[in-house]
Amino acid sequence: MTAEGTDFRGTTVGVRVRVDGVVDEDDLTYLREKVAAALDRPGLPPVSGEVRVRRAAAHHVELPWSGRTDIRVGSDLVVVHAREASGRELADRLHDRLRAGTERVAHRGDTTRRTAPPPPWRGGPRK
């Protein structure tokens, strides 16, 4: 499969899922639900980007599932990587990391460092 479009609800309409390798429909549906749950929250700027999932064809690979997200949240880019043994574990790991990344981006404005005004002898306000 390649370039599966998604019909996420809310702010995640611009997110696409790309699959490389043999991935069954149940794992793909679960992945879409988890990505939508991580990105569909109130107050988040417009979201767009891509989720790429690959399943290795070799049977001797210890962690055959790998995933990468390149999601633009407003003007910030959230990049997440994960490798797991199964499709559901990969979806869960991507969800956790994507949720943490979007939380950081969403609250970055709240925690920005603000410098104190300069002291009066350096041109700051007089009390």
Side-chain angles (χ1 to χ4, degrees), residues 49-65:
E50 187 173 72
V51 177
R52 289 184 294 262
V53 175
R54 174 174 284 171
R55 183 176 181 191
H59 298 288
H60 65 278
V61 177
E62 186 176 334
L63 299 173
W65 290 84

Side-chain angles (χ1 to χ4, degrees), residues 30-63:
Y30 186 72
L31 174 72
R32 287 181 179 151
E33 290 172 359
K34 294 300 268 187
V35 170
L39 296 176
D40 198 22
R41 54 171 286 226
L44 205 59
V47 175
S48 64
E50 187 173 72
V51 177
R52 289 184 294 262
V53 175
R54 174 174 284 171
R55 183 176 181 191
H59 298 288
H60 65 278
V61 177
E62 186 176 334
L63 299 173

Side-chain angles (χ1 to χ4, degrees), residues 4 18 24 109 115:
E4 293 278 332
R18 296 178 61 101
D24 62 348
T115 59

